[in-house]
Amino acid sequence: MSGFTLSVLDQSSVASGRTPGEAIRETLALARHCDALGFRRYWCAEHHNSASHAGAAPEVLMAAIAATTPRIRVGSAGVMLPHYSSLKVAEQFRVLEAIAPGRIDLGVGRAPGSDGRTAFALNPNANQAADRFPAQVMEVLGWHGDGLPENHPFRSIVAQPAVDTRPEMWILGSSDYGAQVAGYFALPYCFAHFFSDGGGSEQAIAVYRESFQPKPGMPGRLAAPHPALGVYCLVADSEAEAQRLFRSRELWRLKRDRGLYLPLPSVEEAEAHAYSDLELARLERMRAAAMVGTPEQVKAKLEELSAAHGGVAEFAVITHCHDAAARRRSYSLLAEVFGLQAGGVPLAAE
């Protein structure tokens, strides 16, 4: 086993020819599959007003996953905090702790996870809300046991339900800003490497380490930085098959980069697409950077990526794949090549 932990990040992506409801049910099935494989965490993303992703309410998905899995940690990647009341988020995650004590992660981010109009539909004060992100992090931590400052207007409010455990809080981001917030609060930090094909990731992880301020004696805080990367990986039994399956994401990314958030196309739809010379050049760059291939190839690429970031502690693996069975197989192969075990029980052959 390499010197990092493997977890799962799921955007509940909608596949062409299937419904958003099916995408949600595929998430629930994949979570049970990855629990059995021995992955550390299963994180649910938050997106709004998007035909690409069905996961608009990660806390609801988390409740369903937490209630139907025995071992894996279940988290958000993340709750977009500026959309919501800090108290409401704190109480949602206290309920989740009651469902699965000691297995809940609260990953929060500042980005809208949507377009500007939708951000205002979620919170009419969206213009100012993002600026309160550090204050909201402090408030959520306060309602999870730290307590609020003496002069805080809501200091006397007690978040319910009263539970004995608290979620593990993470800061998520794709810029230096989140890295600095995570460092200041001594919280773990995950950079969305898959979102930008890694652009800015090395700098953000360095900023996180440089800005880290330990807070001895404070529950839920780290003694040392815990950096992680959210990465796209696709594993198959052969390199040719992995590259074939990857064509779905290639076309989806080309459209996303043009502002078109559409369902994930099938391999056949991707193969039938008439690519321009510019698109073909973009695909070549995408393929060169992609962590796609056989189990051994992807393992080597993850180890190389970890080293390039000074040794990241964890990878949250996202696998967009139109074929649900191929996606499950990808996680199985990754678990096998890294020697993952669930509760100390060796993996059964698939």
Side-chain angles (χ1 to χ4, degrees):
M1 182 71 180
S2 294
F4 48 79
T5 300
L6 287 180
S7 295
V8 179
L9 171 57
D10 188 358
Q11 295 177 305
S12 300
S13 297
V14 181
S16 172
R18 301 203 293 278
T19 67
E22 287 175 287
I24 294 294
R25 291 187 288 276
E26 286 171 12
T27 285
L28 299 179
L30 184 63
R32 292 191 294 272
H33 181 68
C34 291
D35 181 38
L37 291 174
F39 284 89
R40 172 67 170 158
R41 314 171 196 273
Y42 198 98
W43 283 351
C44 300
E46 176 181 341
H47 294 276
H48 301 280
N49 192 32
S50 170
S52 290
H53 308 303
E59 67 282 359
V60 177
L61 264 177
M62 286 176 61
I65 293 169
T68 54
T69 55
R71 181 203 58 83
I72 198 167
R73 295 189 65 88
V74 185
S76 57
V79 167
M80 299 297 105
L81 206 50
H83 294 325
Y84 311 113
S85 149
S86 304
L87 176 60
K88 181 61 174 174
V89 171
E91 292 197 321
Q92 286 172 337
F93 279 76
R94 279 178 169 264
V95 170
L96 288 165
E97 279 289 342
I99 294 170
R103 284 205 291 136
I104 301 300
D105 296 335
L106 170 53
V108 298
R110 185 178 68 129
S114 63
D115 58 274
R117 182 182 293 272
T118 304
F120 277 99
L122 287 160
N123 182 353
N125 296 315
N127 267 344
Q128 295 80 35
D131 294 337
R132 287 204 72 245
F133 180 68
Q136 283 197 282
V137 171
M138 177 272 293
E139 288 168 347
V140 173
L141 287 167
W143 273 310
H144 282 160
D146 287 9
L148 295 174
E150 290 283 350
N151 60 349
H152 197 285
F154 304 136
R155 179 177 170 80
S156 63
I157 295 173
V158 178
Q160 298 294 342
V163 290
D164 294 331
T165 57
R166 59 188 282 168
E168 184 176 291
M169 194 164 182
W170 285 70
I171 304 297
L172 315 173
S174 57
S175 70
D176 294 353
Y177 181 88
Q180 293 176 58
V181 173
Y184 175 79
F185 284 104
L187 295 172
Y189 172 67
C190 185
F191 182 90
H193 182 278
F194 68 94
F195 189 78
S196 60
D197 291 333
S201 61
E202 292 183 31
Q203 178 174 321
I205 296 300
V207 167
Y208 169 57
R209 288 189 171 109
E210 291 164 4
S211 60
F212 191 86
Q213 300 177 30
K215 294 183 171 49
M218 295 191 71
R221 310 306 177 86
L222 301 176
H226 184 97
L229 295 175
V231 295
Y232 179 87
C233 295
L234 180 55
V235 187
D237 291 281
S238 70
E239 183 177 7
E241 176 62 5
Q243 293 293 346
R244 187 187 74 84
L245 293 168
F246 186 53
R247 287 172 192 157
S248 294
R249 179 170 168 83
E250 289 175 347
L251 180 55
W252 182 86
R253 275 299 304 268
L254 289 176
K255 292 184 179 295
R256 192 209 74 172
D257 292 347
R258 291 168 47 205
L260 301 174
Y261 287 82
L262 302 173
L264 185 69
S266 67
V267 171
E268 293 74 20
E269 288 170 321
E271 290 177 335
H273 181 75
Y275 294 92
S276 68
D277 290 342
L278 264 171
E279 287 177 328
L280 290 171
R282 171 77 176 96
L283 292 187
E284 286 303 313
R285 294 193 297 273
M286 200 185 303
R287 289 167 184 166
M291 279 168 282
V292 173
T294 65
E296 294 76 14
Q297 288 172 326
V298 173
K299 181 176 187 284
K301 291 177 181 181
L302 284 173
E303 290 170 341
E304 182 180 343
L305 188 63
S306 174
H309 290 77
V312 298
E314 190 160 353
F315 286 110
V317 175
I318 181 169
T319 301
H320 277 157
C321 185
H322 190 273
D323 183 333
R327 182 164 71 146
R328 290 193 299 273
R329 179 66 175 159
S330 179
Y331 282 110
S332 294
L333 292 170
L334 199 60
E336 185 178 349
V337 76
F338 278 101
L340 299 189
Q341 294 183 345
V345 179
L347 294 177
E350 188 168 338

